[in-house]
Amino acid sequence: MKQVMVRGCVAVFVGAFLCSAGQTADSSRRLVIRADRPGATISPTMYGVFFEDINFGADGGLYAELVKNRSFEFTSPLMGWSEVKQGMATGSARVLDRGPLNDHNPHYLRLNAGWGGYGVANEGFAGIGVRQGEEYVFSAFARGDKEIPMRVELVTAGGKVLAQAKLADFGSQWSRKSATLRPSVTEPRARLQVLATAPGVVDLDMVSLFPKKTWKNHPNGLRPDLVQWLADLKPGFVRFPGGCIVEGRYLSTRYQWKNTIGKPEERQGIINRWNDEFKHRPAPDYFQSFGLGFYEYFLLCEDISAEPLPILNCGMACQFNSGELVPLEQLGLFIQDALDLIEFANGATTTTWGAKRAGMGHPKPFNLKLLGVGNEQWGPQYIERYERFARVLKERYPKIKLVSSAGPSPDDERFQFLWPQLRELNADIVDEHCYANPDWFFDNARRYDSYDRTGPKVFMGEYAAQSVKTVSPENRNNWQCALSEAAFMTGLERNADVVVMSSYAPLFAHEDRWQWRPDLIWCDNLTSYGTPNYYVQQLFSRHRGDLVLPVEVTGLPPATSQQPGLYVTASRAIRSGDIILKVVNSAAQPIASDIQIEGVKEVSRRGTAIVLTADRLTDENSIAAPKTVAPVASTLREAGKAFRHSFGPYSLTVLRLKARD
Ligand code: AHR
């Protein structure tokens, strides 16, 4: 029997090969957890989330606004709106720009009602989801004939009125009007109607409908069920706002954080780069209102105790699109944006940008510690830009860790070019991206065992197993993909001395409006569910532990896509003293193994086993069946310092064992 020392912490004894039959009978299988030889500290940022406004993740998703094109700034200014004429009503609805609400929001709607019952309806984002018994706040900036009475209402597609309220008393200057709507029934696809009930002229802008209940009741807030999914992950960080969205197809449509703060009505929206990216999933009405902007992202991080990781454009547009470059001599403006962002997040309220944060309601700093320079860039053009950013940022803010890019692939020539360059530049954390088939993930569970321990740390910043192929609309969030990600994650955790962050991508998708799949969390207008992949993330994140514990594996060959078996990682939670063992069984049969814990005085006989598994590798969750694949916890009654445990076929198991030194 030969002993193979695997870099990091796991010793694997090869020899007693698993044969597919009779695996459960082999009593030579042993997992020895060495609590007396704790290894690397597992960073609290090890498992986080990556948010991007793709699949209607922000507008129409996380951002609770229910009106689409509320400010009439879409390229077709009446997109999302339609004319309503009740009975004999006459009138006109036109978008104008003379005497706007403000310069950033130059267009508004003029309703000229010739007779009552004339107005417009908004279709929301594939309808407006409203619940019986809840309150919805309608608001709009308005000016017009003092005497013109207006009615706002929620109606079904068939025209049945669900809620109504009146607006009146308009003046010649813009002022904010509001009213509360209480729908009589729950309706996933309502419309909002705004009607003049007598002849007259009224101008409207920022026509908004917000549920009163937002996450923590923040004004201009977020959809509570969707934030709850994030909070339940206990993520170590939130990376935002993307993704390719940071880069823009052209530099003119790159994400500029300064345009996303301040009063919502003063934030200038732009087209969303996912609008027409995929011919197979066109979304001509996909724009970014920036109602969910950098202030709200920071607030979200604070609310769910996650480190904020903003990613900034580094002077390069998306290299899959135009690849436009800012000349190096003009890069100063982009670097200044980064410096200003740090001041916005952390600066005293006496500083220019710190004062803006305070003005928005948060005098306390957000304590930003991480910053991404560029998203998924590559080539010498990236290196020369990153180098300039790093030089300035490190001098001013040496404690802020910078995240740099290793390109879009985990092993191609772009990757091979970037890593040595970033090593040379002493980069802090390198962001690797990987969208590949499940086999890749099974086969790369040992990827980081052989990484150089002296260079930059790794952020596995975007990964997801693709059941068909990257960007195929046929990809599924099935159990096979999730299981392969779990196997891969055992390798991230075992190598916590190198890998300090990781996040699945993308995060959210709307059932009716997605462009890219798979995605971690799916929603429609009223409900949402976590995918099997979500539950994998959740189990790793919530049972992270603080220190890696080596595991000596006897009688089991290293598992691969071709040789299914066990993938293992163990850790110790310092506060509770718990020993946490995570095991993925990628085989179609149960695998039983002795488990032995060395280096602690006592391990309680009672422990907890949490198992995530499915009947079939093709199983998925859905709105109708959200828990087909979900973790099940049970009490272990026969644990202790040595016990035998059988790991079910195609399963991820987390064993939590109470230990005393
Ligand atoms: O996650 C979807 C996209 O994949 C991201 O925007 C980009 O960074 C990557 O190419």
Side-chain angles (χ1 to χ4, degrees), residues 519-579:
D519 306 286
L520 203 61
I521 300 161
W522 285 79
C523 68
D524 62 15
N525 285 347
L526 289 174
T527 52
S528 45
Y529 69 91
T531 56
N533 319 68
Y534 173 89
Y535 290 113
V536 165
Q537 293 292 320
Q538 192 185 51
L539 287 182
F540 273 80
S541 180
R542 292 185 74 124
H543 302 282
R544 173 173 50 84
D546 303 301
L547 296 170
V548 176
L549 297 183
V551 183
E552 294 167 1
V553 182
T554 308
L556 289 155
T560 65
S561 62
Q562 298 312 305
Q563 182 168 265
L566 300 189
Y567 297 81
V568 183
T569 180
S571 63
R572 185 99 197 248
I574 291 174
R575 224 179 34 199
S576 64
D578 284 3
I579 288 173

Side-chain angles (χ1 to χ4, degrees), residues 50 52 54 239 243-244 274 320 375-376 433 435 462 505-506 516:
F50 160 53
E52 175 166 21
I54 185 171
R239 170 180 160 196
C244 293
W274 299 108
F320 288 114
N375 171 46
E376 198 175 61
H433 291 183
Y435 299 95
E462 289 185 29
W516 178 301

Side-chain angles (χ1 to χ4, degrees), residues 51-82:
F51 179 86
E52 175 166 21
D53 190 1
I54 185 171
N55 304 316
F56 286 77
D59 290 329
L62 187 60
Y63 184 47
E65 173 64 79
L66 294 166
V67 173
K68 182 168 72 187
N69 190 15
R70 63 184 177 187
S71 58
F72 308 98
E73 300 298 334
F74 282 18
T75 318
S76 305
L78 275 174
M79 194 173 245
W81 295 91
S82 54

Side-chain angles (χ1 to χ4, degrees), residues 61-265:
L62 187 60
Y63 184 47
E65 173 64 79
L66 294 166
V67 173
K68 182 168 72 187
N69 190 15
R70 63 184 177 187
S71 58
F72 308 98
E73 300 298 334
F74 282 18
T75 318
S76 305
L78 275 174
M79 194 173 245
W81 295 91
S82 54
E83 200 179 35
V84 179
K85 289 180 180 173
Q86 294 184 334
M88 305 291 288
T90 56
S92 66
R94 287 190 303 147
V95 174
L96 305 179
D97 61 2
R98 233 189 15 218
L101 185 58
N102 62 59
D103 292 344
H104 294 150
N105 187 352
H107 298 98
Y108 59 87
L109 177 73
R110 171 158 296 175
L111 283 185
N112 193 338
W115 197 246
Y118 180 82
V120 285
N122 188 274
E123 66 192 23
F125 299 91
I128 294 176
V130 291
R131 286 183 195 283
Q132 180 186 19
E134 295 202 354
E135 296 188 326
Y136 295 84
V137 180
F138 168 89
S139 69
F141 284 86
R143 69 178 172 201
D145 295 345
K146 188 168 168 42
E147 306 309 331
I148 185 172
M150 304 279 297
R151 194 171 73 228
V152 293
E153 53 196 27
L154 283 165
V155 298
T156 63
K160 184 173 164 235
V161 177
L162 306 174
Q164 252 181 11
K166 290 191 169 121
L167 297 177
D169 265 341
F170 301 101
S172 57
Q173 302 302 315
W174 288 109
S175 71
R176 192 164 181 269
K177 298 278 169 200
S178 66
T180 301
L181 295 169
R182 296 178 185 82
S184 53
V185 293
T186 296
E187 167 61 49
R189 292 180 195 274
R191 289 184 308 153
L192 174 75
Q193 292 190 162
V194 187
L195 303 165
T197 54
V201 176
V202 68
D203 295 339
L204 297 167
D205 206 350
M206 289 299 284
V207 181
S208 163
L209 185 73
F210 249 88
K212 201 156 202 177
K213 267 197 214 154
T214 57
W215 172 259
K216 288 194 184 276
N217 293 325
H218 289 311
N220 192 47
L222 308 180
R223 200 174 130 170
D225 62 324
L226 295 185
V227 183
Q228 193 62 56
W229 287 107
L230 303 187
D232 289 347
L233 284 172
K234 290 198 187 301
F237 64 91
V238 178
R239 170 180 160 196
F240 58 87
C244 293
I245 210 157
V246 169
E247 306 162 53
R249 304 185 95 184
Y250 303 96
L251 283 169
S252 58
T253 48
R254 73 190 185 276
Y255 196 103
Q256 299 190 58
W257 74 267
K258 289 175 179 167
N259 293 345
T260 75
I261 61 163
K263 295 180 182 158
E265 65 271 19

